[in-house]
Amino acid sequence: MAYTDSERIQHEGIDSRALFTCFVKRLPLMLTLAVTGAVIGSGLNLLLAFIDLASPSYISETEYYIDFADGRLEAKDYYNDFTWNDVVATDLILGNAMELLGAGYERDAVKNMITADILSDVRYLTITVEGEDSETVDKVSKALKASLERFGTMMEEFDSIYQIEDLGIKEAQVQFFAWRAALLGAAVLLCVGVFVFVFRFCMGDCIYTKEDIRKYFAIPAYGLLYSDKNNADGRQEKMLTEALAAASGAAKKLVFADAFDNRIAGEFVKKLSGLNILDDKTCVETLDKKGGMKGQEVIIAIPFGVPCRQRIADEINQLGLLGYNVSGAVLAEADKGWTRLYFGR
């Protein structure tokens, strides 16, 4: 089955190797994001800690023993950690406690002060009362004690419920640094960074390899030139030398253009001339559209890793409309570390 150029590109999909290579090159940035997220997370936790210091809270922890009635062992499965928080909020316990507290207390406010936990054994119930006023915490804790003990005598699944330990009322300790806050901040910002990176890679239009040139523009890729340490004894430089020597033909002339007002092509020509890898008789220059001739061979210089795919495609189309013949392309300012990582050599 034959595909059009656009359909062929869609079926070829994302270059996973290029995606992985770009991600490895951006690992320092990702680590920086993670550290920044950890700092932000711990900073917000510290801010909340100072806010808590301005309005301290008090905690009363009491532990109760639940004596289940004989033959009602199945009740142990009903009264678990989740159940007790619901049961404590009912009229049988909280409602009775509100009557003992008297006027001046709101039921919803008192309910939010209470937390019930089964920390290990279902026979041991821990009740935590937390509030901003120590006197209120003490009164709620005592009213709740009376209500729980009354509840133990009322329900047939219990023989009794009674308090076995009272840790008293203490000021809640403010945690100035929390590893969980730091880890959460690091994870959140790192995930955001990875998502943005993958999204931009998938939706972007950067050119990284010679295969990208052939795939997206359907023109030959003569080769690439690195952005630094451009010695002509490398494999890629040698391939570029041979390809450009063949492209110059009998006219001994190479004309370069790009979609950035010939800035990229100009830098490419300057570096190419400085390397002395072509015949001295070969003329290397950038395109002058005003002085150009119809049918003139032009080579497109494409910058490495720059979002420019659509601009290059438009430039190739424009050159064709003006009568120029785009014979191929070169990849300029390539990252040697990136290409070595990509090709594994």
Side-chain angles (χ1 to χ4, degrees), residues 36 92 117 165 168 207 213 216 227:
T36 303
L92 292 175
D117 294 296
E165 186 176 18
I207 302 298
I213 295 174
Y216 292 117
S227 60

Side-chain angles (χ1 to χ4, degrees), residues 72-148:
R72 299 304 303 271
L73 293 178
E74 68 276 5
K76 295 180 180 180
D77 297 325
Y78 304 151
Y79 288 91
N80 52 42
D81 194 31
F82 298 99
T83 306
W84 273 112
N85 279 286
D86 292 333
V87 172
V88 168
T90 62
D91 289 337
L92 292 175
I93 298 178
L94 182 58
N96 182 67
M98 295 304 298
E99 293 179 2
L100 296 175
L101 288 170
Y105 293 87
E106 294 184 2
R107 178 162 178 162
D108 288 341
V110 174
K111 178 182 175 181
N112 292 331
M113 295 172 62
I114 303 169
T115 303
D117 294 296
I118 298 291
L119 300 178
S120 55
D121 195 319
V122 293
R123 295 170 297 178
Y124 295 91
L125 172 65
T126 300
I127 297 294
T128 304
V129 180
E130 183 174 359
E132 297 180 356
D133 180 67
S134 59
E135 184 178 350
T136 300
V137 170
D138 182 52
K139 290 182 178 179
V140 171
S141 182
K142 290 179 179 178
L144 205 58
K145 173 181 178 296
S147 297
L148 277 168

Side-chain angles (χ1 to χ4, degrees), residues 49 52-53 57-59 130 170-176:
D52 289 339
L53 281 177
S57 60
Y58 299 88
I59 293 179
E130 183 174 359
K170 300 178 181 179
E171 185 174 338
Q173 295 296 315
V174 177
Q175 194 171 16
F176 289 97

Side-chain angles (χ1 to χ4, degrees), residues 13 27 50 54-55 70 79 81 101 103-104 133 141 154 168 174 181 196 219 238 259 271 290 323 330:
L27 275 180
F50 279 116
S55 55
D70 293 338
Y79 288 91
D81 194 31
L101 288 170
D133 180 67
S141 182
M154 290 174 54
V174 177
V196 171
I219 57 177
K238 182 179 179 181
K271 289 189 176 182
K290 294 180 180 180
V330 293

Side-chain angles (χ1 to χ4, degrees), residues 76-292:
K76 295 180 180 180
D77 297 325
Y78 304 151
Y79 288 91
N80 52 42
D81 194 31
F82 298 99
T83 306
W84 273 112
N85 279 286
D86 292 333
V87 172
V88 168
T90 62
D91 289 337
L92 292 175
I93 298 178
L94 182 58
N96 182 67
M98 295 304 298
E99 293 179 2
L100 296 175
L101 288 170
Y105 293 87
E106 294 184 2
R107 178 162 178 162
D108 288 341
V110 174
K111 178 182 175 181
N112 292 331
M113 295 172 62
I114 303 169
T115 303
D117 294 296
I118 298 291
L119 300 178
S120 55
D121 195 319
V122 293
R123 295 170 297 178
Y124 295 91
L125 172 65
T126 300
I127 297 294
T128 304
V129 180
E130 183 174 359
E132 297 180 356
D133 180 67
S134 59
E135 184 178 350
T136 300
V137 170
D138 182 52
K139 290 182 178 179
V140 171
S141 182
K142 290 179 179 178
L144 205 58
K145 173 181 178 296
S147 297
L148 277 168
E149 292 175 345
R150 180 173 177 268
F151 180 76
T153 60
M154 290 174 54
M155 307 301 291
E156 60 181 11
E157 57 262 39
F158 307 114
D159 279 342
S160 63
I161 298 177
Y162 54 91
Q163 181 177 294
I164 58 174
E165 186 176 18
D166 184 359
L167 299 180
I169 300 174
K170 300 178 181 179
E171 185 174 338
Q173 295 296 315
V174 177
Q175 194 171 16
F176 289 97
F177 180 79
W179 283 106
R180 286 184 297 179
L183 290 175
L184 179 61
V188 169
L189 209 55
L190 180 60
C191 288
V192 170
V194 171
F195 174 79
V196 171
F197 161 74
V198 174
F199 179 80
R200 291 185 63 183
F201 182 91
C202 295
M203 300 301 294
D205 57 351
C206 297
I207 302 298
Y208 293 103
T209 64
K210 293 182 290 184
E211 181 58 31
D212 287 341
I213 295 174
R214 291 188 285 264
K215 180 172 69 173
Y216 292 117
F217 308 119
I219 57 177
Y222 290 127
L224 59 84
L225 195 61
Y226 294 123
S227 60
D228 55 3
K229 298 180 181 178
N230 292 311
N231 298 319
D233 55 356
R235 177 174 177 271
Q236 295 294 338
E237 290 90 349
K238 182 179 179 181
M239 294 173 63
L240 175 63
T241 302
E242 294 173 348
L244 290 181
S248 63
K252 292 292 183 178
K253 186 175 183 180
L254 293 172
V255 180
F256 293 87
D258 61 48
F260 299 87
D261 298 325
N262 281 346
R263 294 196 311 274
I264 305 300
E267 289 296 321
F268 185 87
V269 168
K270 186 185 299 183
K271 289 189 176 182
L272 193 62
S273 301
L275 290 175
N276 296 319
I277 61 177
L278 295 177
D279 192 306
D280 292 338
K281 297 179 181 179
T282 301
C283 177
V284 183
E285 60 185 36
T286 56
L287 177 64
D288 181 5
K289 293 181 181 179
K290 294 180 180 180

